[in-house]
Amino acid sequence: MSRSAAETGAPTSGLLDSYRVAREPYYRAVGDEVALYEAAYSVRMPIMLKGPTGCGKTRFVEYMAWKLGKPLITVACNEDMTASDLVGRFLLDASGTRWQDGPLALAARHGAICYLDEVVEARQDTTVVIHPLTDARRILPLEKKGEIIEAHPDFQVVISYNPGYQSLMKDLKQSTKQRFGALDFNYPEHETEAEIVAHESGVGVDVAKNLVHIAERARNLKGHGLDEGISTRMLIYAGSLIAKGVAPLAACRVALVRPITDDPDMRDALDSAVTTYF
């Protein structure tokens, strides 16, 4: 099998220009996660981000890619994704067959951060293709092409998943987990979350604090009628509607209550929480 020349450390290919984060994403650090990620990237440690949906995992990766000046290739994982979707495949065109790198191969070949979002949604026989890239070998075999890509010095794998959705049928293998360092994410403290909601949605801080109060009450119901609490992302949606002139009660029903439950009693309980603050 032939080997690529990625290990030479050549400048990142112009092919990845469209994957660069053009402007600084707003990210409010809540601990030492930025410093820990920078240290992990300096030794190219693969990183796993663990936390509930809508708590800032993806925004964090975007911010770190911008801060480090590296291209970011994001893959939204799903149960129909195959290994070929990640590494690449042969395609037919007018000239015959040609090879097209998948997002993982593109990142490894040219030196990008490859972010596999909600990786637990992918089949286990698909995710094992990242194994040789996430240990000391740092290679990606392209068996169909007869090539081994040696990962570019700038390449890193980042994955995320929600531990609350773990099950016997949907979880990462220990052989996968133990290839990664892990950072835990959760919803920020009240004042910090209100600051984030106000900044991102355009509402005043007082309105943002009321939205966070509603979310905190809903999160207390997780496992007692709700599968998942109200996320920071949902609060930003509600705040954005309010900032556009939508009445707070209507905005909260549309963005906070109706998306997370169809149970009439639970909806009534959450609607009552909304009326407490608006």
Side-chain angles (χ1 to χ4, degrees):
M1 301 179 84
S2 63
R3 292 178 178 264
S4 74
E7 73 276 9
T8 60
T12 299
S13 169
L15 290 171
L16 297 185
D17 286 347
S18 62
Y19 294 101
R20 293 190 177 276
V21 182
R23 292 182 296 275
E24 179 181 2
Y26 176 77
Y27 179 76
R28 176 70 158 76
V30 297
D32 57 357
E33 67 271 22
V34 172
L36 287 172
Y37 184 96
E38 287 180 316
Y41 183 81
S42 70
V43 295
R44 303 305 186 264
M45 177 190 294
I47 287 292
M48 173 169 49
L49 310 180
K50 302 169 66 175
T53 183
C55 70
K57 300 188 296 294
T58 298
R59 178 63 63 87
F60 173 73
V61 177
E62 292 172 348
Y63 173 75
M64 294 309 306
W66 173 85
K67 195 172 191 297
L68 295 168
K70 304 302 178 186
L72 175 65
I73 299 177
T74 299
V75 180
C77 297
N78 62 81
E79 61 185 9
D80 295 322
M81 189 173 70
T82 66
S84 294
D85 292 326
L86 283 178
V87 302
R89 53 169 55 89
F90 282 105
L91 300 176
L92 285 172
D93 60 19
S95 303
T97 60
R98 63 180 176 86
W99 175 263
Q100 178 170 297
D101 279 342
L104 185 63
L106 185 66
R109 193 187 299 277
H110 298 290
I113 296 171
C114 186
Y115 175 46
L116 305 181
D117 188 18
E118 297 296 347
V119 69
V120 75
E121 297 295 332
R123 299 197 310 263
Q124 291 182 341
D125 62 338
T126 297
T127 55
V128 294
V129 302
I130 68 176
H131 283 191
L133 280 170
T134 52
D135 57 27
R137 292 171 291 174
R138 281 178 61 84
I139 61 172
L140 179 62
L142 305 179
E143 296 179 0
K144 293 180 180 178
K145 192 182 179 188
E147 177 187 1
I148 294 176
I149 297 176
E150 295 193 16
H152 189 285
D154 291 343
F155 170 75
Q156 184 194 33
V157 176
V158 180
I159 63 175
S160 72
Y161 80 109
N162 182 348
Y165 291 154
Q166 286 183 18
S167 69
L168 292 176
M169 298 301 294
K170 264 192 177 179
D171 195 9
L172 292 176
K173 292 181 177 181
Q174 284 296 326
S175 59
T176 300
K177 288 181 179 180
Q178 294 185 21
R179 285 174 156 78
F180 290 81
L183 294 173
D184 284 328
F185 283 74
N186 210 328
Y187 303 119
E189 295 295 328
H190 183 93
E191 296 293 328
T192 302
E193 189 167 22
E195 177 187 327
I196 293 169
V197 172
H199 180 279
E200 292 289 271
S201 68
V203 296
V205 174
D206 289 341
V207 172
K209 287 182 177 180
N210 286 339
L211 290 171
V212 174
H213 278 303
I214 294 167
E216 289 170 344
R217 291 183 61 170
R219 291 165 191 167
N220 290 333
L221 297 173
K222 183 178 178 181
H224 302 281
L226 287 182
D227 294 329
E228 193 75 28
I230 292 173
S231 68
T232 306
R233 180 192 298 125
M234 297 172 74
L235 297 182
I236 293 169
Y237 287 161
S240 298
L241 291 177
I242 294 170
K244 288 297 184 180
V246 177
L249 291 175
C252 290
R253 280 197 299 269
V254 170
L256 303 183
V257 179
R258 300 303 182 262
I260 63 172
T261 182
D262 294 314
D263 181 82
D265 293 334
M266 187 57 64
R267 283 187 172 188
D268 288 342
L270 293 174
D271 284 338
S272 296
V274 172
T275 57
T276 300
Y277 296 100
F278 291 108

